[in-house]
Amino acid sequence: MGGGKQANLSMTTPNAAVLNGEGSFALVEVEQDAVPINCAPIVSSYNDKIRPLLDAVDKLRNLMIMDEGIQLPTIVVVGDQSSGKSSVLESLAGISLPRGQGICTRVPLIMRLQHHSSPLPELSLEYNGRTDRTDEDNVTDDIVKATNSIAGGGKGISNTPLTLLVKKKGVPDLTMVDLPGITRVPIHGQPENIYDQIKDMIMEYIKPEESIILNVLSASVDFATCESIRMSQSVDKTGERTLAVVTKVDKAPEGLLEKVTGDDVNIGLGYVCVRNRIGDETYEEARAIAHELFQSHHLLSKIDKSIVGIPVLAQKLVQIQANSIARNLPEIVKKINDKLNYCLSELNKMPKNLSSVAEAMTAFMQIIGLAKESLRKILLRGEFEEYSEDRHMHCTARLVEMLNQYSDALHNCVQSDPKNNFLLEEIKALEEVKGIALPNFLPRNAFLTILQGKVSGISSIPIGFVEQVWTYIEEVVISVLMRHSDNYYQLQLCARRAGHNLMAKMKERSIKWMTEIVDMEKLTDYTCDPEYVAEWNRLMAHQNAFIEGVLGDNERPSTITIEGIGEVEVEGLRRYPLMLPQAFDLKMRMAAYWKVVMRRFVDFMALHLQLSISNLVNKEMEAEIVNELMGPYGGGIERMLEESPAVAVKRTNLNKSIRKLRDSKEVVAKIIDSIVTHGH
């Protein structure tokens, strides 16, 4: 893409885009009569076939299609602070831009330059959804005001763009994004991390492959050490999309020829050397002075005329831009279509937006039906295909584990250890219930006293288990309800409240039931289980041997082992020789009966759980959710018509993206139709 013809002779127009037979774009050169430099515009205007291309890209940019991840061909202007970046842009646009200490450009400034035939320029600023007209005398102040509106009145920067539209006779048809100048040292009023903020902004704009980097360099610096060069090289190592503009050539002409011909920093699109406008020079005067400088200066005149001057820069930019747009437009069309199809697919996957009570009722019944079936599978039937990887939701297995732990807790507690305080508790009970009566009858009161004490001692274990198991079931039920009502925010709220309320009722009911079981066991002693008598007989078979061991005249051991009981302490029992037979009998009755009591606590709990869970799933859950939904805080089935904030935001964003992409598709379709029509 080397330069055009010598600036003092004539200009040819840039290439025009046409659609070739393969469905992609090609460029053809459009001839135009030569025009003397002193009366020509800065660059010949776009041919009618090319102007619409840039208009289309600008429309896509206004539609903010880049928010959809679709990059547009963009000329991005970067440069170190004080590199002369503003002067270059002023010369291209023919207007003044803000200048001063520190960062002048604090927001991305999208400069849309359009040649038009009217001698009266038209300038406007677009930002924050508004469009303000301005003029050449006030544009500098208006840019400052708009910048302050976007980025605040301080010296910080913002990523929100400001668009400057310049319709002026003779300007090149270009769209460029001017970014803040790179500065390493913050001045007063700037944030400490100003360099990082600017770097991040620049990298965001120059990273896409579609971006053309216009790197503005001062002739007085070593190009290799320029921060802007380092940034552009980090994303464009070969330099194939980087064009360099060397400014202030009149201030540092020595060695410039070697710099731009040696190209030590990989500027693939080449260099253009320019002289900055100084003081009150008009743009025409500045161009004439620059033209004379490059013709007559003993060093600068040696630089090839195809790479010097603002007109050459303008033509290069126009040609590069036309090529970039033509090259990228087919891919942009494809990306727009792909993203549109994706958004439509995502929208179709979303739950139907309920529009009537009948639809809401249908959806409600489906959700409840699915939730009930899921709970039947995992809580009653032990089918876990819906939650194959989530062991927590394998409920029948987890409930059995909890039931086994509950049984172990009952059997391992101190009340279930027959060796503990062997016979001492029985002797004490017998002493307390004795009365004026025949001595060889076993008092039933003594048995009940001991039984009540033991049952009271273990009563916290079944109550604790009830609370534990219903807490687990609550987690499962809420999880299933939330999963099936995920797309219906108001139903989720009702289902969650209903789930918590129902679990609280079920837990309270189970605790009440278990408390009654405990009270029944404390009230009286009864079983028809023949195993009780059989076990008592087995244990009583050891009575005589035990008493002989305790009271006999031979060895008097401190412990004795009883089959079915274990090793027991007997030293303290020798003080109660007369009570030992009754105490032993009482102990063995209690040991045999306690096994029955323990089995009842476990068996009853298991049966109660099965029944409670079955009622929960098949009857009570649905009724509770309906009551909650129809109750004073539920708002009725109509509330289901309201989407959750997250779903509503997603639906709104998808619809916004679809509208934007459809508008974008229409923009590119028109331009392609135009190209095809002109091509024929």
Side-chain angles (χ1 to χ4, degrees):
M1 301 288 250
K5 300 169 186 175
Q6 286 195 3
N8 64 333
L9 297 176
S10 65
M11 293 286 159
T12 58
T13 63
N15 301 321
V18 296
L19 196 66
N20 64 27
E22 299 174 353
S24 59
F25 292 90
L27 296 178
V28 295
E29 189 171 293
V30 182
E31 294 297 333
Q32 182 170 315
D33 295 337
V35 182
I37 188 67
N38 59 354
C39 63
I42 198 167
V43 67
S44 302
S45 178
Y46 260 135
N47 179 274
D48 288 342
K49 294 179 182 178
I50 291 199
R51 175 73 251 169
L53 277 175
L54 187 55
D55 282 344
V57 172
D58 286 339
K59 285 177 183 175
L60 293 178
R61 200 184 312 278
N62 281 346
L63 286 168
M64 303 185 80
I65 195 68
M66 294 166 89
D67 288 350
E68 302 298 325
I70 298 171
Q71 299 298 332
L72 297 175
T74 304
I75 297 173
V76 182
V77 186
V78 298
D80 292 5
Q81 196 172 321
S82 304
S83 61
K85 187 161 58 74
S86 295
S87 296
V88 171
L89 297 173
E90 285 179 341
S91 298
L92 288 169
I95 61 168
S96 296
L97 296 173
R99 295 169 176 269
Q101 282 295 105
I103 303 172
C104 304
T105 306
R106 298 195 292 125
V107 299
L109 177 63
I110 300 172
M111 295 185 64
R112 294 177 56 197
L113 310 183
Q114 294 181 6
H115 167 77
H116 76 162
S117 55
S118 170
L120 296 175
E122 294 179 20
L123 279 69
S124 62
L125 291 167
E126 299 171 14
Y127 60 99
N128 292 342
R130 58 185 283 183
T131 301
D132 294 342
R133 298 292 296 271
T134 184
D135 54 45
E136 290 182 285
D137 293 333
N138 296 298
V139 65
T140 298
D141 291 339
D142 289 342
I143 288 174
V144 171
K145 289 176 186 174
T147 299
N148 289 340
S149 174
I150 295 169
K155 296 182 179 177
I157 65 170
S158 168
N159 218 354
T160 303
L162 166 64
T163 299
L164 170 62
L165 175 60
V166 179
K167 293 182 178 181
K168 188 175 181 180
K169 190 171 185 177
V171 301
D173 286 298
L174 285 172
T175 297
M176 300 171 289
V177 180
D178 180 27
L179 297 177
I182 302 162
T183 177
R184 277 200 169 274
V185 181
I187 63 171
H188 181 68
Q190 290 177 346
E192 288 296 318
N193 65 339
I194 189 69
Y195 168 77
D196 292 328
Q197 289 186 28
I198 293 173
K199 180 182 178 183
D200 290 345
M201 183 189 294
I202 290 173
M203 295 302 287
E204 181 183 336
Y205 275 87
I206 67 175
K207 194 172 183 178
E209 291 291 326
E210 295 82 359
S211 294
I212 300 299
I213 305 167
L214 180 59
N215 214 319
V216 182
L217 309 167
S218 172
S220 60
V221 302
D222 179 1
F223 295 169
T225 64
C226 280
E227 195 70 32
S228 61
I229 287 289
R230 290 180 185 173
M231 289 186 189
S232 60
Q233 283 180 333
S234 70
V235 296
D236 181 30
K237 290 182 172 55
T238 61
E240 63 184 358
R241 52 189 182 89
T242 302
L243 173 67
V245 183
V246 185
T247 64
K248 306 179 183 180
V249 296
D250 50 333
K251 302 290 177 58
E254 293 79 9
L256 182 58
L257 177 61
E258 290 73 19
K259 279 185 177 181
V260 298
T261 54
D263 187 23
D264 296 330
V265 289
N266 287 341
I267 304 295
L269 296 178
Y271 292 83
V272 177
C273 301
V274 299
R275 172 193 174 272
N276 295 61
R277 184 173 67 97
I278 299 172
D280 295 330
E281 294 172 356
T282 66
Y283 293 103
E284 292 74 14
E285 289 170 349
R287 283 166 57 198
I289 293 169
H291 175 67
E292 179 62 26
L293 181 71
F294 287 116
Q295 289 288 341
S296 59
H297 191 279
H298 70 287
L299 293 175
L300 298 178
S301 61
K302 296 177 182 178
I303 301 174
D304 193 296
K305 300 302 178 290
S306 67
I307 63 168
V308 299
I310 290 294
V312 168
L313 172 62
Q315 174 134 348
K316 274 203 171 194
L317 289 173
V318 167
Q319 288 179 322
I320 290 167
Q321 180 177 247
N323 271 315
S324 178
I325 293 173
R327 183 175 65 249
N328 286 293
L329 196 56
E331 184 63 20
I332 291 171
V333 172
K334 179 180 181 300
K335 287 179 178 177
I336 289 172
N337 285 328
D338 290 348
K339 187 64 186 285
L340 179 58
N341 291 334
Y342 169 78
C343 289
L344 288 169
S345 173
E346 284 295 297
L347 190 62
N348 288 333
K349 287 179 190 173
M350 293 190 71
K352 185 181 177 184
N353 203 355
L354 304 177
S355 57
S356 70
V357 173
E359 285 182 356
M361 182 62 77
T362 301
F364 172 75
M365 298 307 295
Q366 287 176 342
I367 289 165
I368 295 300
L370 290 170
K372 284 169 66 174
E373 183 57 24
S374 290
L375 289 170
R376 285 191 193 102
K377 285 181 178 179
I378 60 176
L379 281 170
L380 297 174
R381 300 203 296 264
E383 299 169 8
F384 311 124
E385 65 271 12
E386 292 180 38
Y387 299 94
S388 57
E389 301 300 318
D390 188 353
R391 292 185 73 252
H392 188 69
M393 301 296 280
H394 299 179
C395 302
T396 53
R398 302 293 81 78
L399 288 172
V400 168
E401 288 172 359
M402 282 189 254
L403 201 61
N404 289 338
Q405 290 167 3
Y406 163 63
S407 177
D408 291 342
L410 286 173
H411 286 91
N412 294 331
C413 68
V414 66
Q415 288 82 4
S416 297
D417 182 7
K419 302 187 299 295
N420 185 54
N421 284 333
F422 188 71
L423 300 192
L424 293 175
E425 188 178 9
E426 286 71 19
I427 290 169
K428 181 180 177 182
L430 288 168
E431 284 185 332
E432 292 303 313
V433 299
K434 64 189 176 184
I436 303 171
L438 291 173
N440 59 341
F441 285 89
L442 188 64
R444 186 160 178 261
N445 285 353
F447 186 87
L448 289 177
T449 299
I450 295 171
L451 177 63
Q452 289 164 0
K454 289 169 74 71
V455 172
S456 295
I458 59 99
S459 61
S460 63
I461 297 175
I463 301 299
F465 174 72
V466 166
E467 295 190 347
Q468 177 197 4
V469 79
W470 280 114
T471 297
Y472 169 70
I473 294 171
E474 180 175 7
E475 291 173 3
V476 169
V477 169
I478 296 295
S479 175
V480 169
L481 287 173
M482 292 303 98
R483 175 171 168 246
H484 286 289
S485 61
D486 184 44
N487 296 317
Y488 300 97
Y489 178 62
Q490 294 299 334
L491 178 58
Q492 269 203 332
L493 295 179
C494 285
R496 187 183 293 278
R497 285 197 302 268
H500 289 311
N501 292 342
L502 182 56
M503 292 305 106
K505 290 177 186 176
M506 300 297 282
K507 185 186 294 187
E508 184 181 358
R509 195 182 304 162
S510 289
I511 289 174
K512 182 179 179 183
W513 173 84
M514 181 48 69
T515 303
E516 287 182 353
I517 295 293
V518 169
D519 289 343
M520 282 192 290
E521 294 292 355
K522 284 161 66 175
L523 178 66
T524 189
D525 51 339
Y526 174 77
T527 181
C528 61
D529 187 348
E531 182 59 27
Y532 161 68
V533 175
E535 177 68 9
W536 174 66
N537 284 330
R538 280 194 295 271
L539 293 172
M540 285 300 290
H542 306 291
Q543 184 182 35
N544 291 335
F546 173 76
I547 293 173
E548 179 64 26
V550 176
L551 302 177
D553 295 332
N554 299 325
E555 293 182 25
R556 306 190 93 184
S558 61
T559 61
I560 295 177
T561 300
I562 305 171
E563 187 178 340
I565 299 293
E567 187 177 21
V568 297
E569 295 276 347
V570 299
E571 194 68 50
L573 300 179
R574 293 188 172 98
R575 291 179 293 161
Y576 309 101
L578 297 178
M579 300 188 73
L580 278 184
Q582 272 194 323
F584 189 89
D585 188 356
L586 187 57
K587 182 69 174 182
M588 298 314 149
R589 290 174 191 269
M590 183 57 67
Y593 186 64
W594 192 248
K595 289 183 179 180
V596 174
V597 173
M598 291 295 96
R599 278 198 298 270
R600 283 203 293 242
F601 270 121
V602 176
D603 292 348
F604 287 171
M605 180 66 79
L607 294 171
H608 171 74
L609 269 181
Q610 288 289 85
L611 178 63
S612 298
I613 292 171
S614 177
N615 287 339
L616 164 72
V617 174
N618 293 315
K619 300 176 185 176
E620 302 188 52
M621 184 184 75
E622 183 174 353
E624 188 71 30
I625 294 174
V626 170
N627 288 339
E628 183 65 39
L629 193 62
M630 299 304 180
Y633 303 108
I637 201 76
E638 296 86 354
R639 288 294 297 277
M640 275 188 65
L641 304 179
E642 300 174 20
E643 289 188 307
S644 75
V647 172
V649 167
K650 184 178 180 182
R651 192 188 297 277
T652 299
N653 288 341
L654 281 172
N655 281 321
K656 189 188 297 181
S657 293
I658 288 167
R659 283 194 299 273
K660 185 187 299 183
L661 290 160
R662 280 177 172 159
D663 289 345
S664 301
K665 189 174 180 179
E666 188 176 336
V667 168
V668 294
K670 284 180 180 176
I671 187 63
I672 290 172
D673 288 346
S674 169
I675 292 170
V676 170
T677 302
H678 281 86
H680 292 298

